[in-house]
């Protein structure tokens, strides 16, 4: 096991009925006026907006609405949020939504007192020095942003989708009520689970430390549970226990617990997917269901031991040959993604070989930022060609 | 899954070489003068005392020694620690040792400003209102006290070993260096692993919530890893990876992560063991290796589904009959405890049937405190008779 520091102080309040009961009181501990960050209209349609705002009002917390966060959230919108937070002099930022909303809330919280372009957080030319307290009500389970310190943003003009992290981006409190997931449609639910599996599988497959049996078993148990639970919600959108497993499992799979002790891991499928999302604005989960199996096919020989273990432990593959078992894991994963209605080839999202150069150019930027310099244009093109 | 709140803000610094490098700097964040709580001479013999004190000195933190904590730590010693902490006006309490030491450090930290007998924390007649910051350097891996908010203490005059908990008992920072475990002898190492397994297995077997597949898999993965790693260290005391798995696995198994969502669980074997430790001062792990299999035999019919799952997932038992598989899990666990040199009958620790009434009387007290009122004298005696 490698040396590590684990520090995740977010307070998680989990379960049905918790939003209305607690978000006001919890927010009130951090201030009297909140910037309420959310997306489009869904939280108004499914009643969550009312639960949040009535709880805030009851606890004496004023709020200023800042709606309009879109999937693959963009810098310009965050900048408008920072301006509003300054003008309204809010004490706290409350994100109600999925990863896009919570990530936007984080960057707004960190941007209020920053005297520079917040994009510099993402190019690592400036660190977050100070941030307003961040709270979250999660309504999509994918990014685990509700219990980690990361954020992802897209800068529209240069088509870069970059990630950053800061201890000050760790939410103080997050409320996770599985019933909020009931109204997510099948497509969105599927993409979310693809993202959750991808977070864990990329860490698991790219680990270079040999002694990680403890972490392997945590990952395998969570991946199996997320897959089974996703199969259930595809048929029963309001199955509480399955939604709860996904809501908590997605957080455990990307909040540092499962990876502590594994050392540095690479996320090549995420890195290439960020280029797809940045250029074509396709859903992150859809990009991952295309790229992850393609990357696995490309990495088959190098990662065959890890993939074979994955095949045996998660899919019950009974093949003692590592390469063959590994190959089967790719087929099984791809079939499972397809069974959810997630795309597994670029052609399904109307991307052709003519686009490869542009994608590779963009992804190489990410590879540089993420310290994955072995992923040059040629390599990325090769991976893309396996996703045709 | 049941509703839950998870909040574990302890910062964990894990790995070789971390004590000397960091404990001074981390302590300095909380104050200039520390009460240094530890046990007997072992930390002086194995060099950890020097690592800690030189790091404190280098960081400009003064320290006052408070040694002498014994296994099954006692109230009178903690009271002396509180007196010393007050007299010396320390800012922070640093425990260097196992659960006994860290638990003592916690109660001292909470007792300094208390205007009442600290035993009242354990009878739940007073809550902890204020506590000095607590830091820990773990040198035994069993209680997970280094990353939870619990403490256990024995009041000598009435022979009660009670447990309590407070958010203020959560360490701010804990350093876990697996090399500190190298000098633990085989017996102590075995007892520690028995305790770790017992924490998880009691939660797992006594869970009343049916939808806990996610938590089951986390428990099963950790239990398997602890068992395999314990087998290794029995032969290779200085096997770093095995010690690391035990050090981190023991914490994950009892810091709230694995049980979040399971609802209330009972710990009957721990409850009865506390009576044994209180009355006969036997090692906690030794008491558990006797009582846990006896309790399992007693609970066989009622808990057969849970035990059968345990048998299949952890021991690979291939028996489709739940009762038979459950019975096999008891035998397998008992054999494994015995293989470590841990006692599996009361007679091995010189306790006979004549002692049963006294033990049951004491345990009934614990059962009341822990809200397990179905464990009356008759039931406890029945369990003890299965441990003869």
């Amino acid at each position: 096991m490698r040396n590590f520091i684990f520090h995740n102080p977010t307070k998680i309040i989990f379960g049905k009925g918790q939003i209305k009961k607690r978000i006001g009181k919890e927010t009130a501990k951090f201030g009297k006026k909140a910037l309420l960050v959310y997306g489009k209209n869904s939280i108004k349609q499914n009643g969550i907006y009312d639960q949040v705002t009535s709880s805030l009002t009851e606890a004496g917390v004023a709020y200023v609405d800042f709606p309009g966060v879109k999937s693959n959230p963009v810098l310009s919108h965050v900048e408008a949020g920072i301006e509003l937070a300054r003008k309204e002099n809010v004490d706290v930022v409350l994100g109600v939504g999925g990863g896009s909303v919570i990530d936007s809330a984080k960057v707004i919280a960190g941007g209020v007192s920053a005297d520079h372009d917040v994009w510099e957080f993402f190019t690592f030319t400036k660190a977050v020095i100070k941030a307003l307290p961040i709270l979250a009500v999660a309504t999509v389970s994918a990014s685990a942003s509700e219990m980690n310190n990361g954020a992802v943003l897209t800068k529209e003009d240069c088509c870069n989708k970059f990630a950053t992290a800061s201890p000050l981006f760790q939410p103080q409190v997050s409320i996770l009520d599985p019933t909020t997931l009931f109204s997510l449609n099948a497509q969105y639910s599927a993409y979310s689970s693809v993202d959750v599996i991808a977070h864990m599988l990329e860490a698991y497959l790219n680990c270079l430390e040999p002694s990680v049996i403890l972490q392997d078993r945590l990952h395998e148990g969570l991946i199996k549970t997320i897959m089974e639970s996703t199969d259930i919600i595809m048929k029963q959108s309001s199955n509480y226990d399955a939604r709860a497993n996904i809501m908590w499992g997605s957080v455990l799979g990307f909040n540092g617990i499962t990876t502590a002790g594994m050392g540095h891991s690479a996320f090549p499928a995420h890195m290439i997917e960020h280029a797809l999302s940045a250029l074509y604005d396709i859903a992150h989960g859809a990009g991952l269901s295309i790229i992850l199996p393609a990357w696995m096919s490309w990495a088959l020989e190098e990662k065959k031991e890890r993939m074979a273990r994955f095949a045996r432990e998660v899919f019950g593959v009974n093949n003692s040959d590592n390469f063959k078992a590994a190959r089967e894991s790719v087929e099984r994963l791809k079939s499972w993604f397809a069974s959810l209605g997630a795309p597994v080839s670029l052609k399904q999202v109307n991307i052709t070989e003519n686009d490869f150069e542009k994608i590779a150019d963009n992804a190489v930027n990410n590879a540089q930022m993420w310290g994955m310099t072995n992923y040059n244009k040629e390599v990325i093109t090769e991976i893309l060609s396996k996703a045709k």
Side-chain angles (χ1 to χ4, degrees), chain A residues 132-346:
Chain A
L132 294 177
I134 299 151
L135 285 89
V137 172
T139 66
V140 179
S141 290
S143 72
S145 186
E146 54 272 33
M147 201 188 185
N148 68 34
N149 62 15
V152 174
L153 215 60
T154 297
K155 184 169 180 175
E156 306 99 306
D157 62 355
C158 59
C159 283
N160 278 326
K161 181 176 177 179
F162 280 1
T164 191
S166 163
L168 294 167
F169 280 175
Q170 189 83 36
Q172 301 285 342
V173 180
S174 286
I175 301 195
L176 283 64
D177 176 346
T179 67
T180 61
L181 305 179
F182 288 176
S183 58
L184 284 183
N185 67 34
Q187 191 190 45
Y188 215 100
S189 299
Y191 292 171
S192 299
S193 287
V194 170
D195 191 19
V196 173
I197 301 288
H199 290 146
M200 290 195 266
L201 202 51
E202 292 218 75
Y204 177 95
L205 295 178
N206 287 292
C207 177
L208 297 176
E209 161 65 32
S211 178
V212 286
I213 183 71
L214 186 156
Q215 293 81 355
D216 280 353
R217 286 177 172 146
L218 297 179
H219 277 118
E220 288 152 5
L222 290 170
I223 289 173
K224 276 198 270 190
T225 307
I226 297 286
M227 292 181 78
E228 290 167 3
S229 301
T230 304
D231 287 339
I232 293 171
I233 59 152
M234 287 294 113
K235 288 172 198 140
Q236 305 165 31
S237 178
S238 302
N239 185 301
Y240 183 83
D241 288 323
R243 291 289 193 182
N245 282 339
I246 292 170
M247 196 162 221
W248 185 224
S250 64
V251 166
L252 291 178
F254 208 46
N255 72 349
I257 274 283
T258 48
T259 49
M262 292 177 76
H264 182 74
S265 230
F267 289 79
H270 266 78
M271 179 270 286
I272 297 173
E273 194 296 312
H274 278 203
L276 292 186
S277 288
L279 293 167
Y280 305 99
D281 201 20
I282 67 170
H284 180 52
L288 286 169
S289 61
I290 297 166
I291 298 297
L292 182 56
W295 173 81
M296 286 172 76
S297 295
W298 174 81
L300 209 52
E301 182 57 42
E302 190 194 337
K303 304 285 184 194
K304 65 179 178 224
E305 285 85 7
R306 303 290 298 156
M307 286 188 210
R309 183 179 164 98
F310 170 60
R312 292 172 192 133
E313 295 297 326
V314 173
F315 291 115
V317 167
N318 189 9
N319 193 326
S320 60
D321 182 277
N322 280 346
F323 187 83
K324 286 180 184 160
R327 201 168 50 194
E328 202 167 333
S329 80
V330 186
E331 290 315 312
R332 295 275 199 117
L333 186 69
K334 207 166 161 178
S335 301
W336 185 70
F337 285 163
S339 77
L340 304 178
V344 288
S345 71
L346 290 166

Side-chain angles (χ1 to χ4, degrees), chain A residues 158-160 274-275 278-279 357-366:
Chain A
C158 59
C159 283
N160 278 326
H274 278 203
L279 293 167
E357 184 153 5
K358 189 169 145 194
I359 300 169
D361 273 333
N362 188 296
V364 158
N365 259 340
N366 297 344

Side-chain angles (χ1 to χ4, degrees), chain A residues 23-63:
Chain A
I23 192 61
K25 285 180 203 158
E26 294 293 336
T27 309
K29 292 178 190 169
F30 298 95
K32 292 185 169 175
K33 191 172 183 182
L35 187 74
L36 183 57
V37 183
Y38 55 98
K40 304 284 164 61
N41 269 325
S42 63
I43 67 164
K44 295 205 171 165
Q45 284 157 3
N46 61 18
I48 296 166
Y49 180 84
D50 287 339
Q51 290 176 41
V52 170
T53 52
S54 65
S55 184
L56 290 172
T57 303
E58 202 176 315
V61 178
Y63 58 90

